[in-house]
Amino acid sequence: MQDNRVDVVTLGESMILFQSYNQGALQYEPLFTKSLAGAESNVAIGLSRLGKKTRWVGRLGSDPFGDLVLTTLSGQGVDVSHAVRDNEAPTAVYFKDFKRYGDPAVYYYRKGSAASRLSPEMVDEAWLEGAGHLHVTGITPALGDHTAAATRKLMESAREKGLTVSFDPNLRRKLWSEETARETLLSLIPLCDIFMPGDEEAEFLLGKLEIEAYGEAFLNMGPKLVAMKLGAEGSIGFTEKASVRAEPFAVDRLIDTVGAGDAFASGLLSVLLDHREEISGGLGEEALHEALHRANLLGSMATQFKGDWEGLPTLAEVRGILDGEKSVTR
Ligand code: KDG
């Protein structure tokens, strides 16, 4: 009999990413590399590398880029057997423009893509079969009203089935108006157990507050755990019982910040999933610190590689760094 069990299901739009080969400005660069992108599939890959069983669900065009998404994900150990192909709409692409300073700029070509046609009627209960946890982000609801309704439906259905749910707001201002973004993201927070905003996203959602006040305000909306990314300051986690801070890891060579949040989510969830039963009653401080610590490590590692997920480590690499286990490299 086939074993359908997975630790985590993610739903989202995966795209093909073109980045300049020489890390030069988009308009002058003649050579591009082609890879996979998509916040939720980045998390699925991250967790898979950390030894968790993962499934990605989403819609792709019936085109070569859709094929590439599937072969890349399955090559990374992610179950893609529930992915849906659309004969009438394409797989999206996006370009990354490396700037001399600061975060790269991104240019999306995703309007009318297969994933943007996701509607609540298409949400399939089978996507959650055998799963313990659902991870979603604010990117899927940003693709349109019907994708927002579909995300909500899947989150509700996961909760009814007893799965835990994590939600990363992943604010992408290029995809929707500020007003719709704020209203929709706030409305989805009560449907998750683990909420993981960045400090700028928290300010976008609630206005300027002290960090502790964000934790309290988000916990009051329903989540049992709030993990806030504080950039160069590390991160802080809140439960009803405690608030725990974790120091950042040094970034020796900052190359590409895109995907750092997904790396953080992978690191965090990889620990939290081992404590699933404790999340509803308030996770202990030690486990919360371990989760934030690993999340910070992954976030910092992701920024030191070009690509949205290529810098994500395996469990052995994480142990090597955190526990000082020596690896033989040559
Ligand atoms: O978090 C990284 C993602 O932003 C990237 O992989 C592409 O999903 C993507 C998006 O919508 O920006």
Side-chain angles (χ1 to χ4, degrees), residues 10 13-15 17 35-49 56 73 78 94 135 139 170 172 258-263 265-266 298 307-310 312:
T10 66
E13 173 160 47
S14 293
M15 300 173 281
L17 159 64
S35 182
L36 167 76
E40 304 80 4
S41 51
N42 295 341
V43 173
I45 292 173
L47 284 165
S48 167
R49 289 189 174 178
W56 173 82
L73 284 176
V78 178
Y94 103 90
H135 177 72
I139 297 177
N170 256 341
R172 298 289 180 267
V258 180
D262 305 328
S266 310
L298 263 78
D308 293 9
W309 53 270
E310 284 84 344
L312 295 171

Side-chain angles (χ1 to χ4, degrees), residues 46-60:
L47 284 165
S48 167
R49 289 189 174 178
L50 293 172
K52 300 296 178 203
K53 288 189 84 176
T54 59
R55 175 184 300 148
W56 173 82
V57 291
R59 297 172 60 80
L60 297 163

Side-chain angles (χ1 to χ4, degrees), residues 27-243:
Q27 66 267 47
Y28 306 118
E29 174 63 43
L31 300 172
F32 291 88
T33 58
K34 180 161 101 301
S35 182
L36 167 76
E40 304 80 4
S41 51
N42 295 341
V43 173
I45 292 173
L47 284 165
S48 167
R49 289 189 174 178
L50 293 172
K52 300 296 178 203
K53 288 189 84 176
T54 59
R55 175 184 300 148
W56 173 82
V57 291
R59 297 172 60 80
L60 297 163
S62 299
D63 47 27
F65 287 164
D67 295 343
L68 179 58
V69 169
L70 294 182
T71 51
T72 309
L73 284 176
S74 50
Q76 293 296 321
V78 178
D79 169 22
V80 291
S81 58
H82 292 271
V84 179
R85 307 301 290 266
D86 186 326
N87 292 328
E88 279 145 34
T91 303
V93 299
Y94 103 90
F95 290 80
K96 196 185 280 178
D97 194 4
F98 289 100
K99 302 281 178 198
R100 223 175 275 276
Y101 303 104
D103 296 334
V106 305
Y107 295 90
Y108 296 124
Y109 296 82
R110 65 198 299 182
K111 277 217 175 82
S113 67
S116 72
R117 287 158 45 121
L118 175 73
S119 63
E121 306 75 60
M122 296 172 185
V123 170
D124 188 345
E125 298 283 308
W127 293 351
L128 301 175
E129 226 166 65
H133 184 86
L134 170 71
H135 177 72
V136 288
T137 85
I139 297 177
T140 312
L143 303 176
D145 291 347
H146 40 283
T147 58
T151 308
R152 181 182 309 280
K153 186 173 171 187
L154 191 65
M155 289 170 88
E156 283 168 350
S157 165
R159 285 171 75 89
E160 274 162 29
K161 290 181 189 314
L163 278 75
T164 40
V165 177
S166 51
F167 179 45
D168 181 340
N170 256 341
L171 178 63
R172 298 289 180 267
R173 290 174 196 264
K174 284 194 171 180
L175 296 178
W176 49 355
S177 74
E178 290 208 348
E179 208 184 350
T180 312
R182 190 173 292 109
E183 191 186 320
T184 310
L185 294 172
L186 284 171
S187 76
L188 293 173
I189 296 172
L191 297 177
C192 76
D193 303 282
I194 302 164
F195 183 51
M196 38 179 100
D199 47 359
E200 286 174 19
E201 289 165 331
E203 184 173 342
F204 171 81
L205 291 170
L206 300 179
K208 186 101 189 127
L209 299 175
E210 293 295 321
I211 296 292
E212 280 71 23
Y214 286 128
E216 198 183 324
F218 288 130
L219 285 176
N220 282 338
M221 293 180 197
K224 299 288 178 222
L225 196 157
V226 174
M228 271 185 72
K229 294 159 265 187
L230 306 176
E233 306 293 315
S235 60
I236 185 163
F238 301 94
T239 67
E240 233 168 56
K241 289 187 192 158
S243 78

